[in-house]
Amino acid sequence: MAGKSGRTINATPQNVWRKRILSWEGVLIVILAVVLVLCRAMSATYTLENVLREMPKYLAEMFLMLPMAFILMMGEIDISVGSIVCLSGTLGCFAVNAGMPFPVALLIMLGTGLICGAINGAIIVIFPELPSMIVTLGTQIIFRGIAEIMLGGGGSIAAKNADGFRTIGKSLGIVPIVFFLVIISGAIFVIISTKMKFGRELMAIGSNRLTAFYSGVKVKKVLFISYVTMGAFSALCAIFFTAATYGANTTTGKGFEMDAIAMAVFGGISSTGGKGKMIGGILSAFVIVCLRIGLGQKNVNSQVILLIIGILLIGAVLLPNISARISASKKKAIS
């Protein structure tokens, strides 16, 4: 009905639960359930205990997805994260092999990530005319190149004293410690993106950077903080990945940047900025992790797994566009 102001008021209240179920996050929950059922049907070894046992090395990549989502929300990208993981892991192994206390090795790894993230952020802030894709492509080559020089001809290093890594790689019952840290980190990022000023600023920058700037958003500060956070969480990924593998080599972290981007985009976070929910990225990450473990248990070729994830990713990008076109054609037909 129409009020005195001339506005049309919907007399029928919206069904909130129906809206939530039909949202992309609701669809992801259904997809996760289907993946779990199918993987269990394909493999008798796909049990909760076995899945949790294999999760740590995959969960480590989820640390990359969280800040990557923030960067994508601004319409930027960071493809150097895999190389930061490699460099941080390499330095961590060198540190423990040199006899340094494990806490010192952790600080070195975290410091490496922070410095690499700060370098990315500083270049992007100081030279805004340079696309973040090109900047992080350059630093990707540099960071991995430094790691490869350190690793030398052998191309790998094993942590001779892996007691510290073994400790943080333990489980509480059957649940790995990294699982709890991922959930806590995810909750913090969800709160930041939905309840705090920083999250609103990310979306404002991604929607229209110039408008955000004239609205009082400190664009350069937000950009720099986001890239430093990305570096720190890349180091966190390196810590738990090293805890799962007890070493590093020249291929450590290769493709991690694509995995992080895939998790975020499949979760409904727009790669062009200004759109998406962190909870979607977290749900999609668990979908991909559970799918990888299930297909891995059936000895499916890793390239086939990448193909399946790629198809899911393209589907996630196309679905909203197809839905929008259908809605538009229906409106034209009615009019």
Side-chain angles (χ1 to χ4, degrees):
M1 63 179 181
K4 291 182 180 180
S5 63
R7 292 178 299 174
T8 302
I9 302 170
N10 189 359
T12 307
Q14 284 188 329
N15 190 325
V16 177
W17 284 106
R18 184 171 179 270
K19 187 178 179 181
R20 287 179 180 176
I21 292 169
L22 294 178
S23 68
W24 184 242
E25 291 75 31
V27 172
L28 284 171
I29 292 173
V30 174
I31 293 173
L32 178 58
V34 171
V35 166
L36 292 173
V37 171
L38 287 177
C39 288
R40 174 59 181 164
M42 286 192 304
S43 174
T45 59
Y46 195 82
T47 61
L48 178 62
E49 188 174 354
N50 287 337
V51 169
L52 288 172
R53 188 184 296 116
E54 293 185 41
M55 261 191 175
K57 62 182 177 181
Y58 298 109
L59 287 176
E61 291 187 49
M62 283 184 66
F63 285 119
L64 300 177
M65 187 281 299
L66 299 171
M68 183 67 79
F70 276 6
I71 289 173
L72 291 174
M73 285 176 184
M74 294 187 294
E76 301 290 341
I77 199 167
D78 187 347
I79 60 172
S80 70
V81 294
S83 296
I84 299 175
V85 171
C86 181
L87 182 57
S88 297
T90 299
L91 286 170
C93 290
F94 270 102
V96 295
N97 288 356
M100 294 182 187
F102 184 65
V104 174
L106 290 184
L107 288 174
I108 289 173
M109 295 176 81
L110 287 170
T112 301
L114 286 168
I115 291 170
C116 291
I119 290 171
N120 283 336
I123 296 173
I124 289 166
V125 165
I126 295 170
F127 303 99
E129 66 275 12
L130 296 177
S132 55
M133 169 74 82
I134 302 302
V135 172
T136 55
L137 175 62
T139 55
Q140 177 193 56
I141 297 168
I142 292 169
F143 298 152
R144 190 171 293 277
I146 294 170
E148 289 178 354
I149 291 170
M150 293 181 67
L151 291 168
S156 65
I157 182 172
K160 294 175 183 176
N161 180 11
D163 291 342
F165 289 115
R166 198 173 288 114
T167 299
I168 65 171
K170 286 183 177 179
S171 300
L172 297 176
I174 63 170
V175 183
I177 293 173
V178 63
F179 181 86
F180 294 107
L181 291 177
V182 164
I183 295 298
I184 293 168
S185 299
I188 292 170
F189 273 77
V190 168
I191 292 169
I192 292 172
S193 63
T194 57
K195 303 295 183 183
M196 297 180 70
K197 180 184 175 184
F198 190 82
R200 293 191 294 272
E201 290 177 336
L202 290 171
M203 287 296 189
I205 293 170
S207 298
N208 191 311
R209 183 169 301 191
L210 193 60
T211 302
F213 175 76
Y214 284 115
S215 298
V217 176
K218 296 179 180 178
V219 176
K220 290 185 177 181
K221 181 181 177 181
V222 175
L223 274 168
F224 185 75
I225 290 173
S226 298
Y227 276 95
V228 171
T229 304
M230 184 79 252
F233 273 75
S234 298
L236 200 58
C237 172
I239 290 169
F240 284 97
F241 191 77
T242 307
T245 59
Y246 303 123
N249 56 56
T250 53
T251 62
T252 295
K254 262 193 176 174
F256 280 19
E257 58 281 346
M258 293 299 108
D259 288 344
I261 294 168
M263 288 175 182
V265 174
F266 185 50
I269 296 167
S270 174
S271 59
T272 55
K275 183 181 177 184
K277 295 179 181 178
M278 183 61 69
I279 189 66
I282 294 170
L283 287 170
S284 73
F286 276 108
V287 169
I288 291 172
V289 167
C290 292
L291 183 63
R292 277 191 156 176
I293 293 172
L295 295 175
Q297 287 184 349
K298 292 296 290 182
N299 294 319
V300 176
N301 188 288
S302 60
Q303 299 303 320
V304 175
I305 295 174
L306 287 175
L307 177 64
I308 293 170
I309 293 172
I311 292 170
L312 287 174
L313 184 60
I314 292 172
V317 173
L318 289 178
L319 194 60
N321 293 326
I322 294 170
S323 178
R325 288 189 180 186
I326 292 171
S327 298
S329 61
K330 283 183 178 179
K331 286 180 180 178
K332 283 183 179 180
I334 292 171
S335 60

